Amino acid sequence: MRRFSMGGQWPLVLLLAVASVTRIYAQSPKDAAFLSVLGELREASYSDKASIAERLSQTGHSSVRVVLTALLEDRLYYRNSDQKVFVVKTADADPLALIDPLSLKAAGSAPADGMTKIGTNNSLRHTLKMTVAHFSLGSADAAVRLDAVHEMSLSLDEETVALLRKRLAVETNSGVRKEISIALALSTLDGSDSRARLQAVATLSDSVSQDVRNRLALLLDKSPDGTFVESDAKVRQAAAAAVESIDRWRTFYSDIQTLFFGLSLGSVLVLIAIGLAITFGVMGVINMAHGELMMLGAYTTYVVQTAMPEHIGISILVAIPAAFAVSGLMGVLMERTIIRYLYGRPLETLLATFGVSLLLQQLVRSIFTALNRSVITPDWMSGELKLNDALSITYNRLYIVIFTLIVFSAIVAVFKRTRLGLDIRAVSQNRAMAKAMGIRTEWVDAMTFGLGAGIAGVAGVALSQLTNVGPDLGQSYIIDSFMVVVFGGVGNLWGSLIGGMSMGVTNKLLEPWIGAVLAKIFVLVALILFIQVRPRGLFPPRGRAAEDK
Amino acid sequence: MKRRAMFTTASLLAAGVVFSGVAAAQATIKIGVLHSLSGTMAISETTLKDTVLMMIDAQNKKGGVLGKKLEAVVVDPASNWPLFAEKASQLLEKDKVSVVFGCWTSVSRKSVLPVFEKDNGLLFYPVQYEGEESSKNVIYTGAAPNQQAIPAVDYLMKEVGVKRWVLEGTDYVYPRTTNKILEAYLLAKGVKPADISINYTPFGNSDWQTRVAAIKKFGSAGKKTAVVSTINGDANVPFYKELGNQKISAEDIPVVAFSVGEEELSGLDAKPLVGQLAAWNYFESINTPANKAFIDQWHTFIKNPKRTTNDPMEATYIGFNLWVKAVTKAGTTDPAKVIDTLPGIETPNLTGGTAKVLPNHHITKPVYIGEVKADGQFNVVWKSAGEVAGDAWSDYLPGSKNIEADWVTLKCGNYNTVTKVCSGQNFK
Amino acid sequence: METLWSPTKTGDRGGKWFLSVLALIAVAAPILNQAVPASSPAHLSAYGITLIGKYLCYGMLALAVDLIWGYCGILSLGHTAFFSLGGYAIGMYLMRQIGTRGVYGDPVLPDFMVFLNWKSLPWFWNGFNHFPFALLMMVVAPGLLALVFGWFAFRSRVTGVYFSIITQALTYALMLAFFRNDMGFGGNNGFTDFKDILGFDLHSDLTRVVLLITTVATLAATYLACRTIVESRAGRVLHAIRDAESRTRFLGYPVESFKVYVFVFSAVIAGIAGALYVPQIGIINPGEFAPINSIEVVIWVAVGGRGTLYGAIAGAVVVNYAKTYLTGAFPEVWLYAVGALFVLVTLFLPRGIIGLVQTRTKR
């Protein structure tokens, strides 16, 4: 790579700096120095930018933190017309909302093509994070302070330790206090006072952080000359105990995490199976197009997001009813045009719906091309819920577990509490009798199938957050969804819930031991064997209707 | 009546055969396009089909080749590997095409290989692959492992200071072979076996929670860790989403991928990926006049100014131009003569260098490493000094270090320098 | 319960027709390929020979499915598992025949084992250098799997869609297993680049013609065997099981034994079909196990006409010919045509193409 040298540009930069000084009359010398250094960022190479950022932070200007954070988050731009640097509110918006880097007040807006982003790369971001951390200690947000302390604890020098000490004296948040004391204890381990070291080990033994564990484990190592790194046997003993305790806790938390992974995989399985549990389980239609109905839901999410680019956060919530409507209507259409001629011939519904699935796949390929569509994960669904240093739960998985439970409860409520649910149950149990009682069985059939299809669409919204949105989305889930329904017992919603969850958990419990492929094979074989023992699934349908299914 | 019905059906079928056979006039040069337009690979391969059509279109506007117009024969092998072989023999035996541009996955190439060798056809294969092959009838315009994987690992080792390695791949031949080569390479560079973790997941793996948690754990041992990803297309989106959700950023544990390019990124939200690395021989963001012209040509052809270009497209572009030059030089489209003419033919690539066909039927390519930017493009952070010559047989695998490919002097794709025997295709 | 037509009602004119067509292929294909010069429009290229061979192998697979579905009501959505196992058995023999002609020139190990750094042949590869052993395995592997699977499933009275779905689980599990490189079956790439069979060059036209004639003969033989079964007394019991399983059981017939017997027989036919398919197509890989393929086979049977044996074969040929033609002629939109075909056949031709022909004949 050719590195761009700044050497020859100095006079120009000075000129610009002078120009800006003269324009903004009330500028202090501190402001001027800050602006001139800031201006250098425009054209510098990545490695130069790191040193420029360092010099910026040395100016001690009150805007340093905001500006550097903006640089870190790709929100630092300069205006092409007058080369002036601005912070912007959100990156990649159009127009960009500008913020003056000195006063930190809004400074109007500018079209995106008139502004140029000041880019960063990995190593620069790494340096920036450290620099920003020093400033973030004073932030009003405890979470920002916590991150800052954590960042600082990774490379502790005297200056950092002094900063942390100062902060500890005024810090009120207990979480941050704890993190600071851990960082300070880590730095004490390098000290010469063995009693202080012992004390530090005691402090650290409460942590469950992997970094702390690694640091403590280093105390047990031997130097190349055969002596222990840690000279004091007592400290070594304490460190050994602490390492063991941390390991034990970490194993415990990682087991909990595995269980959560299983539940979240299970809830995805349940979600993709509920719709099928209705169309297949209740109506007896082997709906091979179930996967494609999910795919339609996922594409609906994409369309909704494209339609409201300014409100990505709520677009997902809008997409849920939209996907229900799109897939539901497609389901009603399928039922009215094809499936109603095939009742009582389940195997022929398989053939027809397989044909429909090919048609739908090619349809989206024609409309949206074969390329995957990009569905954005809203901010509130990304990231993780950090319970402690050893256990975090990702938000999107957490929401999907909750979402599955909501959808499931809603369906159960529809079946148990509404007139439609009563009709559906009546028709599925005894069609002729239901008809005799005045139920419009044709209408119920269409509604039932529409309901199942709509739920498939809703599942598609969730899948759009987890995987590729492309024409093949349905195919990759269809087999799993049939397995879940059959495992749970055809026609039993609770069976699908328990079946899906137990398949997910089994899979995830096995995966660390035997790998993803063998775990999946194992689950399939277990399913085959299970069906031998319970030929009608976990919760077999009872009564006369069972024989006909 | 029955007889008549059967007869009608039969004549309908026969009519289909005849019509498809007569459709093409003789005054054109036929070019076969063997890319999946449906099934799982359609997502990647459809673009290459369009690229070939665009190149043919442009060439025809320039007057075609040898005074004849070019005509594309497009078929759909539908991501079905046996169908690839069948369609290949249809192109070669029925349509009698002069050259075929096609295939993406290794298995599709392996499937058509015997057909091309039997009918002595010519295939341009435009995708990076695992090497360990050199056929008389194939020109490999994608990267061999030494043109992509090894430079990427070198970069991470030297420039980023990575000490611990996770080799994460989909369980098929490309990741297996690449990881074998990389493992041997890393061990040779003094990396301890305990600092290498190799893992394989099934195709289309969509649940990465366990694997990402394991990577996080492996990476928390206090040494700089990187992931070398040979994860196959479909599984990438859920993989990167999981990385983003578990807060593994590129600054902590960078992931360098060999099959994630502009087109894959256009199908996902790139923001959580910012800073992740990819190694390719071409990036859309590389600013050269040739590249700009190519991108403009593509946007005009596909009628969508937002479509991206990518590395396999450049490889298709290079392959097409190499073929045109070779045909012009040979004065014939006869595949056997064109194959003999091809080694030594040069054509400019899109990034300012030159692609030259080597005697082993691979080409010279520059290597670039890019960091993902939020807009789904790459920021080039490293570039090889000049072009790297593609190596068909890896020097790091015990099975192939003594094997050499040379179709000019040795006339053999797998000549064993120790036993002095040519096995495989030209076996006598 | 479904009420189905009786397959033998129209006599066996269809069967005779079918056998005549087979005989015609067996005579005409070699002549058109070998005797007619390549320049003549009537010449049948090796591509054509392979294509016909492929259709007939698929036809044999459809025959296997029709035997159990059309006559005994067992819907297997995993029959390509048996087909693929047969294919792998013969594929292993073909791999061993490559010998030192592999790219690495290893006399014993296939190429994929060399680059996986394997030092010796896994135990289950022993014996496959002998053709008769491979033939034996082509029957034993699918047969044994069907026996074990069928015996457990039928004894536990797993029926209807439950049975269909677990057959799908079976083939899905096998697919995942064969995808694993550590299994020793070449992973995703499977087996390819075959050189010769019994010393005959697989790429020569003559070998291909002989393979085609073998396929035709085998298809005729299996068809006759199936017809014999369905027309025998045992065949009547199969009908009875299909139409009223419980009643048949109450009448004292060992329903499970009949089902296991016909299921194993059907699996063996599928295995033989796979074994004939692989040397002609030139590749076998785990994609063949894909559950979607098994569903397609069922669709061939339905399109052709369920419960007619030759109808199933006709269905396989028609659908696959349509696919070959459409993927070449309309690569962008052929899925619409195939999808619509499936929907329309189900709705308007519940008895398939053969049903249509029969109705017209009777009129």
Side-chain angles (χ1 to χ4, degrees):
Chain A
M1 285 288 290
R2 205 166 64 95
R3 299 277 185 218
F4 195 82
S5 156
M6 278 300 297
Q9 304 271 326
W10 263 111
L12 182 68
V13 170
L14 281 176
L15 201 69
L16 280 172
V18 171
S20 38
V21 169
T22 47
R23 202 169 53 227
I24 304 165
Y25 54 91
Q27 231 166 32
S28 70
K30 208 174 183 182
D31 284 352
F34 179 74
L35 268 190
S36 94
V37 182
L38 189 60
E40 290 177 40
L41 274 178
R42 281 191 302 261
E43 312 251 285
S45 72
Y46 293 125
S47 55
D48 289 343
K49 278 177 184 168
S51 65
I52 295 171
E54 186 60 28
R55 294 210 327 267
L56 266 181
S57 69
Q58 279 160 7
T59 61
H61 193 278
S62 57
S63 303
V64 170
R65 191 177 81 81
V66 173
V67 168
L68 290 184
T69 313
L71 179 59
L72 187 59
E73 292 170 356
D74 274 341
R75 289 190 293 111
L76 202 61
Y77 283 66
Y78 66 88
R79 190 150 60 198
N80 298 345
S81 54
D82 61 359
Q83 301 282 300
K84 195 166 167 0
V85 177
F86 286 98
V87 175
V88 304
K89 220 169 201 158
T90 34
D92 300 317
D94 192 14
L96 292 158
L98 306 183
I99 297 170
D100 185 86
L102 284 179
S103 63
L104 301 184
K105 294 205 176 91
S109 66
D113 57 0
M115 304 288 290
T116 308
K117 191 189 287 178
I118 299 179
T120 56
N121 72 352
N122 272 337
S123 59
L124 177 58
R125 278 192 294 276
H126 194 74
T127 324
L128 281 174
K129 267 192 178 170
M130 284 309 297
T131 320
V132 169
H134 284 100
F135 290 95
S136 304
L137 266 191
S139 162
D141 184 352
V144 173
R145 294 203 299 275
L146 199 62
D147 279 349
V149 176
H150 185 73
E151 193 68 38
M152 288 164 82
S153 72
L154 294 178
S155 64
L156 292 157
D157 51 27
E158 272 177 41
E159 184 209 356
T160 319
V161 170
L163 268 173
L164 287 172
R165 284 232 163 78
K166 223 163 85 189
R167 181 69 216 174
L168 187 62
V170 293
E171 180 62 57
T172 49
N173 182 293
S174 63
V176 181
R177 285 185 70 88
K178 196 176 163 206
E179 194 72 25
I180 295 180
S181 50
I182 286 174
L184 291 177
L186 280 174
S187 72
T188 316
L189 288 181
D190 300 324
S192 53
D193 182 355
S194 71
R195 201 177 307 155
R197 289 203 303 270
L198 196 60
Q199 184 63 42
V201 171
T203 312
L204 293 174
S205 66
D206 287 342
S207 163
V208 287
S209 149
Q210 180 76 25
D211 296 326
V212 171
R213 184 222 171 265
N214 291 343
R215 181 65 187 88
L216 286 174
L218 282 182
L219 297 179
L220 307 174
D221 282 354
K222 279 184 180 172
S223 308
D225 58 4
T227 60
F228 280 99
V229 175
E230 170 58 58
S231 51
D232 191 330
K234 250 194 222 156
V235 178
R236 281 204 305 273
Q237 210 173 8
V243 167
E244 200 186 315
S245 145
I246 293 176
D247 281 345
R248 211 169 37 237
W249 278 108
R250 286 192 71 85
T251 315
F252 171 72
Y253 285 122
S254 108
D255 289 346
I256 292 185
Q257 198 178 31
T258 306
L259 196 67
F260 176 76
F261 287 167
L263 287 176
S264 87
L265 174 64
S267 56
V268 172
L269 290 173
V270 172
L271 204 52
I272 61 174
I274 302 180
L276 196 68
I278 298 171
T279 52
F280 173 48
V282 178
M283 301 183 75
V285 175
I286 306 183
N287 184 12
M288 294 304 295
H290 176 72
E292 278 62 36
L293 292 168
M294 297 197 278
M295 174 193 73
L296 286 184
Y299 272 97
T300 309
T301 317
Y302 165 73
V303 171
V304 168
Q305 272 197 353
T306 320
M308 44 195 297
E310 303 295 313
H311 307 95
I312 295 297
I314 57 166
S315 67
I316 295 283
L317 301 178
V318 177
I320 294 170
F324 184 85
V326 169
S327 297
L329 284 176
M330 179 55 77
V332 172
L333 185 70
M334 278 171 65
E335 203 278 341
R336 286 289 88 191
T337 54
I338 300 169
I339 290 166
R340 69 166 166 158
Y341 301 107
L342 302 172
Y343 284 122
R345 293 187 286 171
L347 298 175
E348 285 172 38
T349 60
L350 179 148
L351 311 180
T353 52
F354 186 73
V356 171
S357 79
L358 296 183
L359 289 174
L360 288 177
Q361 272 176 41
Q362 195 60 26
L363 184 71
V364 296
R365 225 176 252 132
S366 301
I367 298 176
F368 296 98
T369 77
L371 295 178
N372 285 341
R373 297 287 104 182
S374 135
V375 173
I376 303 165
T377 306
D379 288 337
W380 57 271
M381 276 190 80
S382 43
E384 54 183 3
L385 175 67
K386 194 168 177 186
L387 297 173
N388 62 32
D389 281 325
L391 182 61
S392 312
I393 288 173
T394 55
Y395 278 121
N396 71 339
R397 296 280 175 180
L398 186 62
Y399 287 130
I400 282 172
V401 173
I402 296 169
F403 183 63
T404 304
L405 295 177
I406 293 174
V407 171
F408 182 80
S409 325
I411 294 296
V412 170
V414 166
F415 269 67
K416 298 268 169 188
R417 307 250 174 227
T418 65
R419 176 63 204 253
L420 176 67
L422 188 66
D423 289 352
I424 292 174
R425 282 183 290 149
V427 172
S428 78
Q429 276 168 17
N430 193 327
R431 174 173 296 269
M433 185 64 83
K435 208 167 184 169
M437 302 295 283
I439 294 174
R440 289 159 61 203
T441 52
E442 294 233 322
W443 184 81
V444 171
D445 286 337
M447 285 303 113
T448 318
F449 200 83
L451 179 67
I455 297 299
V458 170
V461 178
L463 291 181
S464 75
Q465 294 301 314
L466 293 177
T467 183
N468 302 280
V469 177
D472 295 314
L473 179 133
Q475 277 196 345
S476 38
Y477 286 97
I478 182 80
I479 295 169
D480 284 334
S481 47
F482 270 101
M483 301 293 161
V484 171
V485 175
V486 164
F487 178 50
V490 175
N492 191 310
L493 288 175
W494 286 98
S496 298
L497 179 72
I498 294 172
M501 286 294 182
S502 44
M503 278 167 75
V505 171
T506 315
N507 202 326
K508 282 294 163 187
L509 287 181
L510 290 170
E511 197 180 315
W513 299 100
I514 56 177
V517 191
L518 281 182
K520 184 135 199 188
I521 294 174
F522 182 89
V523 169
L524 289 170
V525 172
L527 176 78
I528 294 173
L529 293 177
F530 177 83
I531 292 294
Q532 314 295 334
V533 185
R534 303 281 301 256
R536 302 243 163 238
L538 217 46
F539 297 100
R542 277 184 292 269
R544 258 193 188 179
E547 268 301 293
D548 297 334
K549 282 265 163 70
Chain B
M1 276 309 256
K2 182 168 83 178
R3 206 170 299 178
R4 212 174 101 192
M6 270 194 146
F7 184 75
T8 325
T9 325
S11 47
L12 273 176
L13 296 183
V17 176
V18 172
F19 277 124
S20 58
V22 177
Q26 280 308 304
T28 57
I29 298 171
K30 287 196 201 170
I31 294 183
V33 185
L34 186 62
H35 284 299
S36 299
L37 310 178
S38 57
T40 48
M41 291 312 296
I43 165 181
S44 309
E45 294 193 60
T46 311
T47 309
L48 296 191
K49 178 216 57 171
D50 289 332
T51 310
V52 180
L53 294 186
M54 173 180 86
M55 300 299 295
I56 291 176
D57 197 41
Q59 190 67 36
N60 278 340
K61 283 190 183 135
K62 283 189 254 170
V65 179
L66 300 178
K68 289 183 187 169
K69 293 275 184 211
L70 304 178
E71 180 200 344
V73 183
V74 180
V75 290
D76 178 14
S79 314
N80 176 328
W81 318 135
L83 210 52
F84 264 92
E86 184 187 312
K87 292 291 168 194
S89 69
Q90 180 195 330
L91 288 174
L92 294 175
E93 293 172 22
K94 190 160 147 271
D95 296 319
K96 309 232 184 296
V97 299
S98 306
V99 60
V100 176
F101 293 87
C103 299
W104 183 291
T105 57
S106 286
V107 56
S108 66
R109 191 190 66 252
K110 291 275 184 205
S111 171
V112 302
L113 207 54
V115 178
F116 276 89
E117 292 177 354
K118 171 184 168 251
D119 293 334
N120 209 4
L122 171 57
L123 171 71
F124 280 85
Y125 176 66
V127 183
Q128 92 283 6
Y129 82 120
E130 68 278 6
E132 303 298 291
E133 188 182 296
S134 172
S135 166
K136 183 184 167 203
N137 304 88
V138 182
I139 303 292
Y140 306 83
T141 57
N146 73 317
Q147 292 172 307
Q148 191 185 23
I150 301 250
V153 164
D154 263 340
Y155 167 80
L156 286 174
M157 209 180 317
K158 288 176 193 145
E159 310 273 322
V160 185
V162 172
K163 300 272 188 302
R164 231 163 126 82
W165 302 84
V166 180
L167 308 183
E168 187 79 38
T170 302
D171 190 1
Y172 73 115
V173 64
Y174 169 64
R176 285 262 173 190
T177 316
T178 308
N179 287 347
K180 279 245 170 336
I181 294 171
L182 289 183
E183 186 187 11
Y185 183 74
L186 289 173
L187 291 175
K189 292 277 170 182
V191 177
K192 287 193 200 75
D195 284 335
I196 304 176
S197 155
I198 304 182
N199 228 290
Y200 296 102
T201 41
F203 276 96
N205 194 26
S206 59
D207 193 296
W208 286 93
Q209 302 178 85
T210 311
R211 276 310 303 154
V212 169
I215 290 171
K216 204 173 178 178
K217 191 169 174 216
F218 190 80
S220 64
K223 290 182 187 169
K224 181 76 185 172
T225 306
V227 179
V228 179
S229 153
T230 40
I231 297 167
N232 172 273
D234 257 7
N236 273 309
V237 170
F239 175 63
Y240 282 110
K241 283 201 167 169
E242 193 63 40
L243 280 179
N245 285 330
Q246 295 199 20
K247 295 241 167 124
I248 299 184
S249 69
E251 297 101 71
D252 308 329
I253 303 182
V255 178
V256 59
F258 302 146
S259 32
V260 175
E262 290 86 351
E263 186 146 303
E264 286 75 15
L265 288 181
S266 75
L268 64 121
D269 176 16
K271 288 200 189 63
L273 272 73
V274 169
Q276 301 294 15
L277 302 160
W280 288 107
N281 310 104
Y282 165 89
F283 283 113
E284 186 178 356
S285 59
I286 293 172
N287 195 2
T288 64
N291 192 20
K292 186 160 183 328
F294 180 74
I295 296 169
D296 286 344
Q297 188 190 357
W298 173 241
H299 287 169
T300 317
F301 181 82
I302 207 77
K303 298 187 187 69
N304 178 356
K306 285 187 176 161
R307 280 290 289 271
T308 53
T309 58
N310 64 10
D311 180 277
M313 281 175 72
E314 193 221 16
T316 303
Y317 166 91
I318 292 173
F320 187 88
N321 287 341
L322 288 172
W323 178 77
V324 170
K325 286 203 172 170
V327 167
T328 314
K329 189 177 169 197
T332 169
T333 54
D334 177 16
K337 301 226 169 65
V338 177
I339 288 170
D340 288 340
T341 317
L342 269 164
I345 296 277
E346 289 184 9
T347 186
N349 61 29
L350 290 174
T351 56
T354 305
K356 179 181 177 188
V357 182
L358 303 166
N360 63 9
H361 281 188
H362 290 61
I363 65 170
T364 56
K365 293 173 90 79
V367 187
Y368 297 93
I369 291 170
E371 279 183 8
V372 176
K373 296 193 292 180
D375 58 0
Q377 289 289 330
F378 288 87
N379 174 18
V380 175
V381 292
W382 184 87
K383 174 187 185 313
S384 62
E387 279 92 36
V388 181
D391 190 6
W393 301 94
S394 174
D395 301 336
Y396 295 98
L397 290 181
S400 65
K401 61 172 186 261
N402 297 328
I403 300 185
E404 230 177 78
D406 184 341
W407 291 103
V408 177
T409 46
L410 291 171
K411 303 267 181 217
C412 179
N414 36 19
Y415 179 79
N416 191 318
T417 49
V418 177
T419 59
K420 312 262 182 235
V421 174
C422 177
S423 63
Q425 196 182 352
N426 273 14
F427 180 80
K428 292 286 176 326
Chain C
M1 277 306 144
E2 296 167 58
T3 40
L4 278 161
W5 57 97
S6 166
T8 46
K9 203 184 282 171
T10 51
D12 201 35
R13 280 180 54 192
K16 284 188 186 126
W17 261 100
F18 163 70
L19 288 174
S20 330
V21 171
L22 278 190
L24 183 70
I25 293 174
V27 175
I31 296 174
L32 291 180
N33 176 256
Q34 294 289 312
V36 176
S39 53
S40 156
H43 174 76
L44 185 62
S45 64
Y47 162 69
I49 295 274
T50 310
L51 217 51
I52 298 173
K54 181 180 102 166
Y55 295 158
L56 295 182
C57 290
Y58 284 157
M60 205 185 303
L61 177 59
L63 176 73
V65 171
D66 195 26
L67 177 67
I68 53 168
W69 184 37
Y71 290 88
C72 194
I74 305 170
L75 178 61
S76 164
L77 292 181
H79 244 52
T80 48
F82 307 119
F83 181 82
S84 311
L85 283 178
Y88 265 98
I90 216 76
M92 286 163 86
Y93 161 75
L94 294 171
M95 287 306 272
R96 293 292 303 268
Q97 291 304 299
I98 295 173
T100 55
R101 288 167 293 176
V103 291
Y104 298 104
D106 192 297
V108 180
L109 296 184
D111 287 338
F112 72 87
M113 292 189 192
V114 180
F115 76 59
L116 286 176
N117 280 345
W118 289 17
K119 298 291 171 235
S120 63
L121 215 53
W123 62 268
F124 48 81
W125 276 77
N126 288 325
F128 276 98
N129 45 343
H130 304 295
F131 189 64
F133 182 79
L135 285 189
L136 183 71
M137 291 317 288
M138 144 194 112
V139 172
V140 168
L144 199 63
L145 179 68
L147 181 66
V148 173
F149 185 84
W151 190 74
F152 275 110
F154 297 133
R155 197 204 45 164
S156 312
R157 302 207 183 155
V158 180
T159 52
V161 288
Y162 291 91
F163 183 81
S164 304
I165 299 296
I166 63 165
T167 50
Q168 194 146 60
L170 173 77
T171 193
Y172 189 37
L174 280 170
M175 177 179 85
L176 291 175
F178 274 75
F179 262 128
R180 296 183 67 233
N181 273 279
D182 296 335
M183 277 282 283
F185 293 105
N188 175 54
N189 275 15
F191 305 147
T192 178
D193 206 14
F194 307 132
K195 305 290 184 197
D196 50 27
I197 184 165
L198 290 171
F200 298 104
D201 181 9
L202 267 174
H203 299 308
S204 86
D205 282 11
L206 192 60
T207 316
R208 296 197 161 237
V209 168
V210 172
L211 278 171
L212 177 65
I213 294 174
T214 317
T215 311
V216 170
T218 320
L219 181 57
T222 45
Y223 168 73
L224 289 172
C226 288
R227 207 181 64 179
T228 314
I229 289 177
V230 299
E231 285 177 353
S232 67
R233 284 183 57 82
R236 300 252 174 95
V237 180
L238 295 181
H239 287 169
I241 293 171
R242 180 190 72 192
D243 293 337
E245 181 169 336
S246 307
R247 205 174 297 174
T248 317
R249 189 175 287 120
F250 296 145
L251 287 173
Y253 288 101
V255 168
E256 284 70 39
S257 309
F258 274 98
K259 280 174 123 179
V260 170
Y261 156 73
V262 72
F263 188 64
V264 170
F265 188 72
S266 163
V268 168
I269 295 177
I272 296 172
L276 286 164
Y277 171 83
V278 169
Q280 299 187 72
I281 295 303
I283 179 169
I284 174 81
N285 69 63
E288 297 291 337
F289 283 103
I292 217 85
N293 291 3
S294 290
I295 294 172
E296 267 206 60
V297 180
V298 173
I299 284 170
W300 303 340
V301 176
V303 168
R306 177 186 165 194
T308 55
L309 295 182
Y310 57 84
I313 299 168
V317 174
V318 168
V319 173
N320 282 292
Y321 175 78
K323 272 173 89 170
T324 305
Y325 174 67
L326 294 171
T327 50
F330 310 102
E332 312 273 355
V333 295
W334 68 276
L335 269 177
Y336 284 126
V338 175
L341 174 76
F342 295 162
V343 175
L344 296 177
V345 164
T346 331
L347 284 182
F348 301 111
L349 299 177
R351 293 167 57 198
I353 297 170
I354 297 299
L356 179 74
V357 175
Q358 283 176 351
T359 323
R360 284 172 138 240
T361 323
K362 264 184 274 173
R363 209 178 281 157

